[in-house]
Amino acid sequence: MELLANILRPKCLAEVLGQKHLIGEGKVLSNLVLNKKIFSMILYGRPGIGKTSIASAITEELKMPHRFLNATINNKQDFDTVIEEAKMYGEMIVIIDEIHRMNKDKQDILLPHLESGLIILIGLTSSNPYHKINPAIRSRVQIFELKDLSIEDIKEGLNRAEKYLENCTCDEDAKEMIARSASGDVRSAINLFEVAYYSAKDGHITSEIVKNLNAKPIFFHDKDESGHYDVLSAFQKSIRGSDVNASLHYLARLIEAGDLDSIYRRMSVIAYEDIGLANPGMGPKVMAAIHASELVGLPEARIPLGVVVTELALSPKSNSAYLAIDEALNDIHKGSTGPVPDHIKTTSKDYLYPHNYPNDYIKQDYMPENLKNTIYYHPKNNRYEANINRIHKEMKGEK
């Protein structure tokens, strides 16, 4: 039996949920269809927000020959067959799902026919095409980002499902629960709605039925796709912004996804990029928490991770060292290097050994001549950096 989400797939752009920046009076995709002129494009966004629906609606409204391919499932021969078919029609829309996974062989087959206009490509991906799609493909297409669906958009999709199913009724609180649990994925919402309908004795969907079917909240989190990186980004930015509650929320999402490796890597970066010299003890503390988490595994790993993330969020912050090394690297990239001063070369006999002098310091030049007096490190106003800056000045005999 065909899934209800497929049965309810829009037949025209006007039926597509959300995406008002692309669809509607005066909007780009609607105008292209209105003018009966379509160009190769890539649609990207989270799963279940309308990529396939838009591609299907475009082909339905234009009444053009089209074929669906999947970059992972369909082989080179399938691509060759579609191209030969396109030659019979003169032009063809080819919709390619998971286009970010298309290997070089398939790209090589496709590219000349994109160039000639024989193939009009509609690529679908949940990955950021600016990172994941081959530049040769990117340069030949228009890229459109699909926006997340709102709760109201998803409820509209559920209203359509309710009207389609025979004698179906749904309590508003149950509908709200389904919409919120789907995390922007209308396909997931309609699938849950359909199961709830057939689980109900009389076709009446209640919040109790939904709770029994959906004990675990749905949230978008796929470690191979962009949503995963959105959560990681939110995790780091919440810690950087000293919001301990948001930091723990995103940590919980990462733990729920079972992705400890990404948590470890991101915490290690945070300890040095965002906490830095304001609290240099956090680096070793993060490593200790990682070691403890590996030792005990999940579910107990949540405890050391929760402790260290709480401290990271509450800790004073400084990016001074991070900015300093980036400034130094920037000079290197610009070619600002210069020869090492003679007195600190390996064979030099003029080097002054600081430990032979009071305070283990003696003034001498270390920078290349053309970078003399360059300053990369600018201390932030926090207790630790103020203290080491004071000690540094005292060591040099400065006030």
Side-chain angles (χ1 to χ4, degrees):
M1 185 175 69
E2 190 176 6
L3 289 173
L4 181 59
N6 290 335
I7 294 171
L8 294 177
R9 193 180 295 284
K11 304 297 189 294
C12 62
L13 286 177
E15 295 177 0
V16 172
L17 297 168
Q19 314 313 328
K20 303 303 183 190
H21 62 301
L22 298 175
I23 297 167
E25 188 176 352
K27 302 300 181 179
V28 58
L29 293 184
S30 296
N31 282 350
L32 289 174
V33 169
L34 183 67
N35 294 323
K36 300 192 180 304
K37 182 65 178 178
I38 198 72
F39 298 90
S40 290
M41 67 180 73
I42 289 175
L43 305 174
Y44 84 100
R46 294 185 179 192
I49 64 171
K51 298 184 294 294
T52 305
S53 294
I54 290 173
S56 298
I58 287 171
T59 58
E60 286 286 333
E61 291 200 63
L62 291 176
K63 306 298 182 190
M64 287 181 64
H66 63 278
R67 291 290 177 267
F68 276 88
L69 292 171
N70 184 294
T72 303
I73 297 169
N74 292 107
N75 58 31
K76 184 171 174 285
Q77 186 176 348
D78 295 329
F79 277 71
D80 283 329
T81 301
V82 166
I83 287 166
E84 290 306 310
E85 195 174 352
K87 289 176 181 176
M88 294 166 52
Y89 287 106
E91 67 175 355
M92 177 183 282
I93 295 176
V94 179
I95 302 167
I96 302 181
D97 199 8
E98 297 190 86
I99 192 170
H100 61 282
R101 299 186 188 278
M102 191 163 63
N103 63 29
K104 189 176 184 303
D105 285 348
K106 294 170 187 173
Q107 289 175 33
D108 289 344
I109 294 170
L110 208 58
L111 280 171
H113 304 295
L114 281 179
E115 196 76 48
S116 69
L118 177 69
I119 297 294
I120 298 167
L121 169 68
I122 303 181
L124 313 177
T125 178
S126 53
S127 289
N128 188 330
Y130 296 102
H131 298 159
K132 297 286 187 177
I133 305 293
N134 185 299
I137 296 285
R138 280 207 317 266
S139 68
R140 291 166 171 81
V141 301
Q142 298 297 312
I143 296 176
F144 298 112
E145 179 181 6
L146 273 61
K147 305 298 184 183
D148 291 353
L149 296 179
S150 68
I151 297 297
E152 293 307 313
D153 290 331
I154 295 174
K155 285 169 74 173
E156 172 58 28
L158 297 180
N159 289 338
R160 295 178 189 179
E162 185 177 10
K163 289 175 183 176
Y164 181 85
L165 294 168
E166 188 177 1
N167 297 322
C168 177
T169 56
C170 180
D171 292 343
E172 280 304 309
D173 58 345
K175 202 174 288 181
E176 182 83 14
M177 190 180 296
I178 293 172
R180 290 193 177 279
S181 71
S183 293
D185 186 336
V186 71
R187 181 174 55 230
S188 171
I190 292 174
N191 287 343
L192 178 57
F193 189 91
E194 184 178 17
V195 175
Y197 167 74
Y198 285 108
S199 300
K201 186 177 180 180
D202 53 0
H204 180 65
I205 301 170
T206 65
S207 57
E208 195 60 34
I209 290 172
V210 176
K211 282 179 188 175
N212 290 336
L213 290 172
N214 190 41
K216 183 177 179 181
I218 302 167
F219 61 91
F220 178 74
H221 196 109
D222 180 345
K223 67 181 180 181
D224 294 323
E225 306 297 353
S226 60
H228 173 67
Y229 297 103
D230 288 342
V231 175
L232 281 172
S233 174
F235 177 56
Q236 179 164 6
K237 286 169 182 169
S238 298
I239 293 175
R240 181 185 294 149
S242 301
D243 187 328
V244 64
N245 298 303
S247 302
L248 290 168
H249 169 78
Y250 293 114
L251 173 66
R253 287 172 68 160
L254 291 163
I255 289 173
E256 192 67 19
D259 188 16
L260 293 180
D261 286 343
S262 288
I263 297 171
Y264 298 159
R265 286 192 296 270
R266 193 55 64 111
M267 287 194 315
S268 299
V269 169
I270 291 166
Y272 293 98
E273 177 183 345
D274 296 307
I275 310 300
L277 289 174
N279 187 3
M282 283 311 303
K285 284 185 178 181
V286 165
M287 293 311 297
I290 291 171
H291 176 71
S293 300
E294 284 292 278
L295 193 64
V296 300
L298 287 171
E300 287 82 2
R302 76 191 188 283
I303 301 168
L305 291 175
V307 169
V308 78
V309 165
T310 298
E311 189 170 0
L312 284 168
L314 295 174
S315 173
K317 310 294 190 295
S318 174
N319 65 347
S320 56
Y322 158 65
L323 293 176
I325 185 59
D326 276 3
E327 281 296 308
L329 285 167
N330 190 43
D331 268 352
I332 303 304
H333 297 155
K334 291 189 299 186
S336 298
T337 52
V340 173
D342 289 340
H343 63 280
I344 58 171
K345 288 181 178 176
T346 307
T347 57
S348 172
K349 297 194 181 344
D350 298 321
Y351 171 58
L352 301 177
Y353 189 55
H355 297 299
N356 290 339
Y357 297 86
N359 296 328
D360 300 291
Y361 175 80
I362 183 68
K363 184 173 175 59
Q364 62 185 331
D365 292 329
Y366 295 94
M367 276 287 223
E369 181 63 28
N370 60 311
L371 291 174
K372 193 173 179 179
N373 300 321
T374 298
I375 296 174
Y376 297 128
Y377 171 65
H378 299 278
K380 290 289 183 76
N381 186 26
N382 58 73
R383 186 179 300 175
Y384 184 86
E385 285 186 87
N387 190 45
I388 59 172
N389 192 45
R390 177 184 58 79
I391 293 169
H392 183 64
K393 286 182 177 181
E394 288 176 357
M395 181 180 67
K396 296 196 295 182
E398 298 176 1
K399 291 185 180 180

